[in-house]
Amino acid sequence: MRAVAVYTAEREVRVINHPAPSLTSATQARMRVLDVGVCGTDREIVSFQFGTPPEGSDYLIIGHESLSEVVEVGASVSKVKAGDLVVMTVRRPCPHPSCVACREGRQDFCYTGDFTERGIKQNHGYMTELVVEEERYLNPVPRHLRDVAVLVEPLTIAEKSLEQIWTVQRRLPWERPHRAVVLGAGPVGILGAMALKVEGFEVSVYSRSPNHEEKNRILDAIGVPYIAAETHSTEDMAKTVGPIDVVYEATGASSVAFEVLKHLGPNAVFVFTGVPGRKGPVPVDTDEIMRNMVLNNQLVLGSVNAPPQAFQSAIRHLGVFAQHWPQTLRSVITGRFPIEHALEALQNQPGSVKNVVAIAS
Ligand code: BGC
Ligand code: ZN
């Protein structure tokens, strides 16, 4: 079967022929992959800055944002049956008995760093025709979300962040936070803005995006104002928005993020989700940030990966988005490419939002 493989030593990316997998235990299912989304992590992997092949392999099959259809299930599988649509989680637990997070099925909080991630770290991904996976990593998706369910995984970033926000803001038992700023207007930012909106937040997006017409159109349609970082300083933005309760950072642009950190409202929480490349030191006014944080009871947290619960809430939220904004939701996917053209999907076309490799229909 065909697969998109990154050869790290040779620094090459190719569509290859890879042996098709079959079931090896009664707790597994075999899926045919329908759609695989492409994100910044994939772009880093195909430019050899990130990503590790499985042990003993000189290449890594990429792809971690997926939608598949079950074709066959092992004898003890009960969650899904042939014909069902599923989205698979990304991270697999580390082997260490002492890692309570992994032992509890919360490898998104792994302590040891010896987890694997499909399509990213020591585990082949989904940009291929057939995959086999354990039942517990499958999340069933209703058929009516067929066209958009590849967006579940990028939405889980916001879902895990929301889970974290609700958990930490229980320290303020009198009201839910209500004013949110999303940093970045890529797919993670847009999907995050939708989730925050549906959760009742007043949402604004602050972003530096050349060619942002399509992004603007999407945000307009969901009633989220776009504030351009090219023309508005972080100070202007904070004045326009009013006291900020939550910042959902979805760019990996650390200098902008730390600027925004200075303008949080009282008792606010700031969630970092981007993974910036190392571009060298940037000066920040640490006194100002520390003073504000202490004098305003603020909290900064980082969040990576997502547990099954976040996949389930993403699937639920996607259903709500599809009801509120059917056209707009579909328009988040701006490009579909056959597997032979996967390398084009991996390039960042100006103005595109989410590129998808459409492997089967
Ligand atoms: C994926 C996460 C993963 C992270 C770091 C992201 O693109 O969505 O599942 O944990 O990259 O590898
Ligand atoms: Zn672990």
Side-chain angles (χ1 to χ4, degrees), residues 70 121 143:
V70 177
K121 182 177 182 281
R143 181 55 68 171

Side-chain angles (χ1 to χ4, degrees), residues 79 87-91 101 104-109 136-140 152-153 155-164 166-167 305-318:
K79 201 190 327 184
V87 173
M88 289 169 276
T89 60
V90 178
R91 193 176 280 193
E104 298 261 327
R106 285 302 301 257
Q107 47 268 24
D108 57 311
F109 281 118
R136 65 180 175 285
Y137 302 128
L138 310 180
N139 300 282
V152 165
E153 198 280 343
L155 176 57
T156 61
I157 315 217
E159 302 294 344
K160 175 170 170 188
S161 300
L162 272 167
E163 178 214 75
Q164 300 293 296
W166 299 140
T167 305
N305 196 253
Q309 298 89 301
F311 278 75
Q312 278 133 37
S313 32
I315 292 163
R316 251 192 332 272
H317 267 153
L318 208 64

Side-chain angles (χ1 to χ4, degrees), residues 82-131:
D84 287 354
L85 295 181
V86 294
V87 173
M88 289 169 276
T89 60
V90 178
R91 193 176 280 193
R92 303 293 171 260
C94 78
H96 307 290
S98 63
C99 183
V100 284
C102 286
R103 303 294 66 80
E104 298 261 327
R106 285 302 301 257
Q107 47 268 24
D108 57 311
F109 281 118
C110 178
Y111 283 93
T112 68
D114 291 338
F115 57 82
T116 67
E117 286 181 339
R118 293 206 65 161
I120 302 175
K121 182 177 182 281
Q122 297 164 302
N123 204 333
H124 284 316
Y126 307 131
M127 207 176 278
T128 183
E129 291 171 283
L130 292 164
V131 289

